Amino acid sequence: MNEITRTAARHPFLDGKPKRMLIDGKWLEAASGKTFETTNPATGEVLARVAEGDAEDIDRAVAAARRAFTGPWSKFKPFERQALLLKLAALVEAHFDELAMLDTLDMGAPISRTRGNRLRALGMLRYYAGQAVSILGETIENSLPGEIMSFTLKEPVGVVGAIIPWNGPLTATIWKIGPALATGCTVVLKPAEEAPLTSLRLAELCQEAGVPPGVVNVVPGFGETAGAALAAHRDVDKVAFTGSHLTGQKIIQASAGNLKRVSLELGGKSPDVVFADADLDAAVPGAGMAVFANSGQICSAGTRLFVERKIYEEFSARVAAYGKSLRVGDGADPETQVGPLVSAEQLDRVTGYLAIGRQEGARPLSGGERLTEGAMAKGFFVPPTVFADVRDEMRIAQEEIFGPVISAIPFDDIEEVITRANATSFGLGSGLWTRDVSKAHKLARAIRAGSVWINCYQAMDPAVPFGGYKMSGYGRESGKQHVEEYLNVKSVWIRAD
Ligand code: ADP
């Protein structure tokens, strides 16, 4: 049995055959005939070979998406789009465990986490189903003389290029496809090269749900080729991008050719502030999982842990002990709490920062080294790490690591911590732990970030907007704002006298 067929025994989607791309309702090989491997980061085993799309495939997919947009799809009534989304939700529910396992195998997250995304994934699809029948224009009183009436129509922006990262493939795919289907847009989605499988499986379910050909197209491939071609394509009306801020900057440049609309959900270096009056028994695991969840591969992870000085040593030690108590291992094991990093490249990046932290004089209280014992040697495992004695100017306090690494920093008073929490070019998430409602309110107002979590971290809901300030990007996903990102406003005037 070769590696691929061994895995196939575990998962119905992994049947040993190369995975093709979905363009215009057909499963195609890349125009170039090229493929790439996708591997399990816990074991190094090859899961599948996948068609490697590039500019030519993006061209074909965008043309299909344009035809679908102007063709039959444009005639779909809101309730028909709603029905499609509800059907897709039912299919995702029926196949949920399989989709969760595919995420786990392809990018490493613990199965407890990927299965735990159930409510969120289904909730998103059903929320967008509701939004499909809630698109409203306005009738607006104007002050012109005579009988002239004005109102607005909301219309789909058109062909959307969606580019997603690997850190949560199922929900990331739904986050792009959902609002497109709700509004009547069409999509060309490029999954991340590290973890393309779940997007492809979800595309199969879209077909099964009855999504017409060309409405959802999925073109796997690399960022510099397929991704760049999609961002630059003249017939794409909007790019919805989630990923690093450096790629976000390239996307904006690439979008300039036809001035396409862009929404960006980028990285972060989010502050998590713990006051001495907090419920520390809740704050220890809360602040820990704000970073250790998904091995720190979450853009809004609370990686700058500001702790009030009088509890700094005790609290940092408790978070480190909590980190040590977590079970690190293959995500497919139901007992695993922290899985591997997604790739060798990500491992190099994170271990590079571990070395930088030590060189800068930070003191590791837990973790700090790659794990290579036994079967771990084949994967990309880094244990939960807490660095103490971190100063604001250190690179581990300023740069996004995207690994399970907390930089614990002491502070003395609220004004000071506000200034220091905001002293970052990012502004995605933020947290604070206190029993004092006035402190909570003051910080919630003062922190320049798109989300503030008080006595919790990383709460997400399909109805609540999520997105960045500053270099964490612009545009919002989830909530009513998300659907608006996929709509144009047209003003209509009627002279009636
Ligand atoms: P990460 O470092 O987390 O992988 P990236 O921003 O590089 O983040 O990747 C997120 C997504 O952006 C992936 O799908 C990747 O292929 C894509 N990507 C990378 N570079 C480019 C680019 N120059 N243009 C468009 N997409 C890109």
Side-chain angles (χ1 to χ4, degrees), residues 163-164 166 190-194 223 227-228 241-244 247 250-251:
I163 301 174
I164 61 169
W166 41 263
K190 195 207 77 68
E193 49 272 45
E194 293 85 348
F241 173 72
T242 305
S244 64
T247 304
K250 289 186 194 159
I251 301 265

Side-chain angles (χ1 to χ4, degrees), residues 4 15 28 34 38 75 83 97 103 107 126 139 150 189 195 198 331 353 406 441 459 470 488:
I4 298 184
D15 54 8
L28 304 175
K34 282 201 263 181
T38 185
K75 306 282 185 306
D97 285 350
D103 264 9
M107 54 68 69
R126 292 178 177 140
T139 309
S150 43
L189 180 121
T198 314
Y353 276 108
I406 289 179
H441 201 256
K470 300 194 273 184
N488 269 325

Side-chain angles (χ1 to χ4, degrees), residues 15-193:
D15 54 8
K17 294 186 194 137
K19 296 293 157 194
R20 296 176 169 192
M21 54 183 76
L22 180 64
I23 297 178
D24 210 6
K26 296 184 228 24
W27 291 94
L28 304 175
E29 286 173 14
S32 66
K34 282 201 263 181
T35 59
F36 65 101
E37 283 179 350
T38 185
T39 55
N40 179 340
T43 61
E45 75 187 311
V46 178
L47 297 171
R49 294 204 69 86
V50 179
E52 185 189 321
D54 57 27
E56 198 176 337
D57 306 288
I58 292 290
D59 264 347
R60 289 193 292 176
V62 172
R66 176 62 60 193
R67 280 194 303 276
F69 180 70
T70 49
W73 180 236
S74 65
K75 306 282 185 306
F76 269 60
K77 295 289 179 193
F79 85 96
E80 293 172 303
R81 299 198 306 269
Q82 179 186 49
L84 275 182
L85 278 158
L86 291 175
K87 182 84 193 292
L88 182 59
L91 287 168
V92 169
E93 186 163 35
H95 294 278
F96 193 78
D97 285 350
E98 179 205 321
L99 291 161
M101 184 54 95
L102 207 49
D103 264 9
T104 289
L105 293 173
D106 213 6
M107 54 68 69
I111 189 71
S112 54
R113 175 180 172 82
T114 54
R115 285 208 184 114
N117 278 336
R118 184 188 186 91
L119 257 185
R120 184 163 147 64
L122 298 174
M124 286 198 287
L125 286 166
R126 292 178 177 140
Y127 179 82
Y128 296 122
Q131 292 294 305
V133 291
S134 312
I135 294 168
L136 306 174
E138 291 174 304
T139 309
I140 305 168
E141 287 293 310
N142 64 66
S143 304
L144 298 183
E147 286 294 313
I148 182 162
M149 183 193 171
S150 43
F151 64 93
T152 57
L153 295 174
K154 295 279 177 74
E155 297 184 334
V157 289
V159 176
V160 176
I163 301 174
I164 61 169
W166 41 263
N167 58 347
L170 175 62
T171 49
T173 306
I174 292 174
W175 236 1
K176 307 294 187 210
I177 287 177
L181 293 179
T183 52
C185 291
T186 57
V187 196
V188 176
L189 180 121
K190 195 207 77 68
E193 49 272 45

